[in-house]
Each structure stands twice: as structure tokens, then as C-alpha cells.
């Protein structure tokens, strides 16, 4: 079985065990975008699991971080988005 087929089977297993959504890190700060985000989003949606994106605040210029997040997350009407400042 290929690695892609194994990942699909694991996602199907999540769905069959009642997991309805996955939140994946899309970005951090103004410069980092998770290189696996687009592929994972596609795999998660194919498994009919809800997909969400999150961003980790790095204390940089807010508008630059927001721009990075939307570039990486590519949210649509089915995407749930969240942010975290990493501060208590």
C-alpha cells in the first residue's frame, strides 16, 4: 500500500470513529507557512472530515501575520479559522 493510501485509510478510520474535524497549523508569524498544509487539507476534505486552519502569533506586525495566514490557509466557506498568541 502506498504512503498516500495509508494516510487516506487513517483519515477514514478517524471519520468512522466519530472524529468530525481536524485543525491543521497553516502559518506562524509573518514568514512561515506549513509546507504540508495544502496537501493535508485536500486529504482531510476527501475523507469527508471538516477542515480547520490555525495560525500561531509570533509577536510580529499583525497585518503581515494576517496576510500570511490567509495566503496559507486559503479559507473558503467550509474552513474554520483560529489564531493563538502563545501567551498566557
Amino acid at each position: 500500500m502506498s504512503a498516500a493510501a495509508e494516510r487516506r485509510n487513517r483519515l477514514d478510520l478517524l471519520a468512522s470513529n466519530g472524529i468530525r474535524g481536524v485543525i491543521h497549523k497553516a502559518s506562524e508569524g509573518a514568514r512561515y507557512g506549513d509546507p504540508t498544509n495544502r496537501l493535508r487539507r485536500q486529504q482531510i476534505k476527501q475523507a469527508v472530515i471538516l477542515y480547520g486552519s490555525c495560525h500561531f502569533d509570533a509577536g510580529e506586525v499583525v497585518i503581515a501575520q494576517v496576510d500570511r495566514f490567509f495566503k496559507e490557509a486559503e479559507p473558503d466557506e467550509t474552513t474554520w479559522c483560529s489564531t493563538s498568541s502563545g501567551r498566557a
Side-chain angles (χ1 to χ4, degrees):
M1 180 179 295
S2 71
E6 287 180 31
R7 275 191 297 277
R8 224 177 2 262
N9 284 343
R10 284 181 279 186
L11 288 170
D12 291 341
L13 183 61
L14 287 175
S16 68
N17 281 289
I19 302 299
R20 299 291 176 238
V22 173
I23 300 172
H24 194 282
K25 178 180 178 178
S27 56
E28 182 171 341
R31 293 182 272 295
Y32 177 77
D34 188 315
T36 66
N37 182 54
R38 286 183 180 92
L39 174 62
R40 296 289 185 258
R41 178 179 51 239
Q42 179 183 14
Q43 293 168 336
I44 290 164
K45 286 185 172 186
Q46 286 174 348
V48 193
I49 299 173
L50 297 172
Y51 172 80
S53 292
C54 67
H55 170 82
F56 289 86
D57 177 10
E60 299 170 338
V61 175
V62 172
I63 194 66
Q65 292 190 75
V66 170
D67 287 345
R68 169 58 62 185
F69 174 67
F70 280 106
K71 177 182 177 190
E72 300 297 331
E74 297 177 331
D76 61 20
E77 65 280 353
T78 67
T79 308
W80 181 76
C81 301
S82 176
T83 62
S84 171
S85 69
R87 298 179 207 133

